[in-house]
Amino acid sequence: MLSAESLKKIDYELTKYPADQKQSAVMSALAIAQDEKGWLTTETMDFVAEYLDMPSIAVYEVATFYNMYNLQPIGKYKITVCTNLPCALSGANEAVTRFRERLGIGFNETTADGRFTLKEGECMGACGDAPVLLVNNKRMCSFMSNDRIDQLLEDLSK
Amino acid sequence: MNQPVQILLAGLNPSDPDDWRLRNYEQREGYAALRKILSEKIPPEKVIEEVKKSALRGRGGAGFPTGLKWSFMPKQYEGDKYLVCNSDEGEPGTFKDRDIMRHNPHMLIEGMLIGAYAMSIKAGYNYVHGEIWDVYERMEEAVDEARAAGYLGDNILGSDFSFQLYNHHGYGAYICGEETALLESLEGKKGQPRFKPPFPASFGLYGKPTTINNTETFASVPWIIRHGGDKFLQLGKPNNGGTKIFSVSGHVNKPGNYEVPLGTPFATLLEMAGGMRGGRKLKGCIPGGSSMPVLPGDVMMQTDMDYDSIAKAGSFLGSGAVIIMDDTTCMVRALERLSYFYYEESCGQCTPCREGTGWLYRIVHRIETGKGRLEDLDLLNNLADNIQGRTICALGDAAAMPVRAMIQHFRDEFAYHVEHKRCLV
């Protein structure tokens, strides 16, 4: 089940597509569900499938294909650092090192207190602002020097 | 330097947080092209003619002539047709569409409106890269503004032309920048590319005739209508009309977007981007996004930034992403990262790409980590040969081309890595 608020958002997304093409809303529906639940359990995906009149397997296919969906429990803050070439030329690997040192975790790991998960990302289309990272998919942070990383972690630890 | 010639980013005031809004856009002659078309009742074929004259070529990477693409749409077709904007900007090094959408979203909307008018299309989607969420939200707001002002919806500005536009977000799949994968994704499926033919103009979104253009391509259209295709063409050079935004990243002092006329010397662009960081030497440059062949620095310095000049120099203009690498860059490591990207992002549909990208990555990785063999260099080329041109979409080519060009231009460095088990730089 999803909250009334989430369902309202999904209903809005459904207005964008022809009435017989509800499946088109699956990507946004899964993103909305993930925002509410943190990660996508099979039950949540089945619910979305039923809501959009889709076979469950078709929802699983989408959830596993696109890499911003969380298919496992995740920290309160998912930090995804782009390490692709343009970012790497401008300090992305140094940024990753800073996170590793400060958080004591590597990629795909979560801190013991459940607060932070670190992920390696691919191009986010903001290479001029390198190093670039995302907090929980939706908040982009640019020019992430060590100082700015420290500041971010401090803000998120409050 | 001459007076800057800009179309897409002209007259913007970055210090004004409301500069993207409808009323500001209208003050910059926004929606004047649409008004002109509707009030003068310019026939759709005349609009396409004007775009053809402009020599506007697809800004997403392929460089296909836009007017020609628009003329492929069936004219007599009675059913639904769709217009799609590909704003799924994920080609490493490219960040221009993000700036168009966050600073000038209505220019994109107006461009799509004109395209819809020219092809008699009533509904469209703008597919926005999932990682730039704030830009997606801005597009949502801009579409709402345009709708409220009567630029979108039924009987636009009192005419008999109607067009509905919706934003759709991706959620992390590079492959959806490929137009048929994007259509699959819009239909709520895995983004796996379709065989072509049939091309989208005959079988596109929901099986209906569909035209897909890049954000920057659409955004160039209002200016063409206001000033004429000839004038746009003259801004650039023959067969390479207009201005283009180049996204400059890597080892420069001022990474960022620079809009210049096509045909501008690379050296001028580099200067605009503040020159090489630390005054170092330009070793190599990928001139059109990570999928395009790298060129040595001295070749780049002699090249002009337009489709034909870069092709002559041995690469492609692609999306206009200019990745700058100075002489501290290890080309083996650079290629290793790119090869990992294609391995990670292969959709898994075609065997040569699904398996081949993994092989490419693992071989470059073993060279980088000091376990390579000299024969690996030929093996990499052989693998690239067996991927390129043998897959449904161009991701296979995109994985193969950087490998080949890196070995072609920097073979000594790869050999040094194998022999000494460490970097040359």
Side-chain angles (χ1 to χ4, degrees):
Chain A
M1 255 317 268
L2 291 172
S3 69
E5 196 190 338
S6 292
L7 293 181
K8 204 176 142 197
K9 286 183 187 165
I10 295 174
D11 289 344
Y12 171 72
E13 294 299 321
L14 278 167
T15 64
K16 297 178 174 178
Y17 310 99
D20 60 346
Q21 300 290 347
K22 287 165 87 171
Q23 182 168 343
S24 280
V26 67
M27 290 181 70
S28 48
L30 287 173
I32 291 162
Q34 179 167 293
D35 282 349
E36 181 187 322
K37 304 276 189 188
W39 67 285
L40 299 172
T41 60
T42 306
E43 291 70 31
T44 302
M45 290 190 279
D46 289 344
F47 177 83
V48 168
E50 200 171 320
Y51 201 75
L52 299 179
D53 297 329
M54 289 171 67
S56 289
I57 184 70
V59 176
Y60 306 158
E61 279 187 352
V62 168
T64 54
F65 188 86
Y66 298 91
N67 64 28
M68 289 164 73
Y69 296 114
N70 307 326
L71 301 174
Q72 282 168 2
I74 193 140
K76 185 174 179 199
Y77 297 110
K78 177 175 76 169
I79 295 176
T80 312
V81 187
C82 174
T83 60
N84 208 308
L85 180 61
C87 275
L89 294 173
S90 294
N93 294 318
E94 291 73 10
V96 171
T97 303
R98 189 66 166 191
F99 279 111
R100 284 179 191 276
E101 286 170 0
R102 288 291 312 269
L103 300 176
I105 54 171
F107 286 135
N108 303 315
E109 291 176 359
T110 301
T111 52
D113 62 1
R115 189 166 279 271
F116 295 104
T117 300
L118 191 61
K119 295 284 248 186
E120 182 170 37
E122 290 301 344
C123 187
M124 297 165 185
C127 326
D129 300 353
V132 179
L133 61 84
L134 295 178
V135 179
N136 288 347
N137 288 344
K138 293 186 172 176
R139 174 180 168 199
M140 182 175 277
C141 301
S142 302
F143 305 108
M144 296 310 284
S145 60
N146 285 348
D147 287 349
R148 289 171 65 93
I149 289 171
D150 292 348
Q151 186 64 50
L152 175 72
L153 289 177
E154 196 178 310
D155 293 346
L156 297 181
S157 297
K158 278 172 193 161
Chain B
M1 211 179 295
N2 297 331
Q3 196 63 19
V5 179
Q6 293 190 328
I7 291 174
L8 302 155
L9 305 176
L12 296 176
N13 175 13
S15 61
D16 177 358
D18 283 333
D19 202 38
W20 61 273
R21 289 195 176 277
L22 177 66
R23 59 172 186 278
N24 296 48
Y25 181 61
E26 286 174 326
Q27 282 161 14
R28 298 190 295 266
E29 292 186 89
Y31 290 108
L34 179 73
R35 285 180 182 280
K36 177 183 155 105
I37 288 171
L38 294 179
S39 66
E40 295 176 18
K41 295 191 166 44
I42 299 177
E45 51 279 14
K46 284 269 180 221
V47 174
I48 295 182
E49 203 46 52
E50 212 54 47
V51 176
K52 277 186 179 169
K53 246 194 270 174
S54 75
L56 172 63
R57 293 169 62 171
R59 301 301 197 223
F64 193 82
T66 304
L68 186 61
K69 188 186 255 191
W70 288 10
S71 68
F72 292 156
M73 283 292 268
K75 285 177 195 65
Q76 312 306 334
Y77 189 84
E78 293 292 331
D80 294 334
K81 295 188 267 188
Y82 290 101
L83 189 65
V84 174
C85 178
N86 184 345
S87 299
D88 193 30
E89 184 177 51
E91 171 78 3
T94 319
F95 46 95
K96 63 190 177 64
D97 299 335
R98 171 181 179 236
D99 270 6
I100 292 172
M101 288 187 286
R102 64 179 172 161
H103 299 312
N104 223 355
H106 286 284
M107 190 179 258
L108 167 60
I109 295 171
E110 188 181 7
M112 288 191 76
L113 276 158
I114 295 167
Y117 176 89
M119 292 174 276
S120 306
I121 296 172
K122 293 191 179 62
Y125 292 94
N126 177 32
Y127 189 110
V128 182
H129 196 218
E131 284 83 346
I132 47 173
W133 191 262
D134 53 336
V135 176
Y136 169 75
E137 288 185 330
R138 171 148 304 173
M139 281 308 310
E140 285 281 87
E141 219 176 320
V143 163
D144 284 347
E145 275 189 330
R147 204 174 280 140
Y151 290 118
L152 285 172
D154 292 332
N155 301 104
I156 292 165
L157 302 175
S159 71
D160 55 5
F161 168 57
S162 301
F163 181 65
Q164 311 289 343
L165 177 61
Y166 307 100
N167 297 297
H168 178 109
H169 68 76
Y171 229 50
Y174 167 69
I175 189 62
C176 291
E178 198 278 343
E179 61 178 12
T180 60
L182 186 151
L183 294 178
E184 289 286 302
S185 184
L186 256 176
E187 292 180 3
K189 301 171 190 163
K190 292 184 289 183
Q192 291 193 315
R194 300 174 180 172
F195 272 113
K196 291 191 274 193
F199 288 92
S202 50
F203 190 93
L205 182 63
Y206 309 131
K208 310 291 185 189
T210 302
T211 290
I212 305 155
N213 287 119
N214 167 258
T215 320
E216 187 182 0
T217 310
F218 279 125
S220 300
V221 171
W223 196 96
I224 291 171
I225 300 302
R226 285 205 310 274
H227 300 269
D230 289 331
K231 208 137 188 215
F232 186 82
L233 174 58
Q234 284 160 18
L235 289 179
K237 52 193 271 193
N239 198 34
N240 297 266
T243 62
K244 168 92 188 78
I245 302 177
F246 290 99
S247 304
V248 185
S249 66
H251 294 145
V252 289
N253 283 313
K254 290 193 294 177
N257 284 315
Y258 297 93
E259 182 182 1
V260 293
L262 282 169
T264 298
F266 169 76
T268 307
L269 181 67
L270 183 59
E271 198 185 312
M272 291 169 81
M276 296 299 295
R277 199 189 295 164
R280 300 202 69 97
K281 187 171 176 290
L282 175 67
K283 179 177 185 174
C285 169
I286 306 177
S290 69
S291 306
M292 301 303 163
V294 66
L295 290 174
D298 52 341
V299 174
M300 262 333 278
M301 291 305 287
Q302 303 304 316
T303 303
D304 294 338
M305 299 305 288
D306 61 79
Y307 295 92
D308 297 338
S309 299
I310 295 179
K312 210 172 137 201
S315 188
F316 298 98
L317 181 130
S319 59
V322 180
I323 305 172
I324 303 284
M325 293 174 279
D326 70 18
D327 55 1
T328 64
T329 312
C330 170
M331 291 313 212
V332 180
R333 195 163 182 208
L335 181 61
E336 182 198 26
R337 187 59 186 84
L338 290 181
S339 293
Y340 179 78
F341 170 67
Y342 294 105
Y343 166 53
E344 167 73 25
E345 296 294 338
S346 172
C347 82
Q349 189 172 207
C350 310
T351 309
C353 175
R354 183 186 63 240
E355 303 301 322
T357 52
W359 284 19
L360 289 175
Y361 167 66
R362 287 190 294 273
I363 294 170
V364 180
H365 178 70
R366 81 180 174 216
I367 297 174
E368 165 64 14
T369 51
K371 297 181 197 113
R373 303 178 284 241
L374 268 184
E375 54 269 33
D376 280 347
L377 305 187
D378 292 332
L379 182 59
L380 282 171
N381 276 327
N382 179 271
L383 264 168
D385 286 343
N386 281 304
I387 299 172
Q388 198 167 343
R390 294 168 199 270
T391 53
I392 289 174
C393 85
L395 193 141
D397 302 355
M401 284 196 293
V403 169
R404 263 214 275 258
M406 277 288 193
I407 294 175
Q408 181 194 340
H409 294 301
F410 301 99
R411 193 177 182 101
D412 289 353
E413 192 172 332
F414 280 77
Y416 186 94
H417 239 284
V418 170
E419 285 166 1
H420 297 85
K421 305 189 189 309
R422 62 180 176 85
C423 291
L424 182 63
V425 293

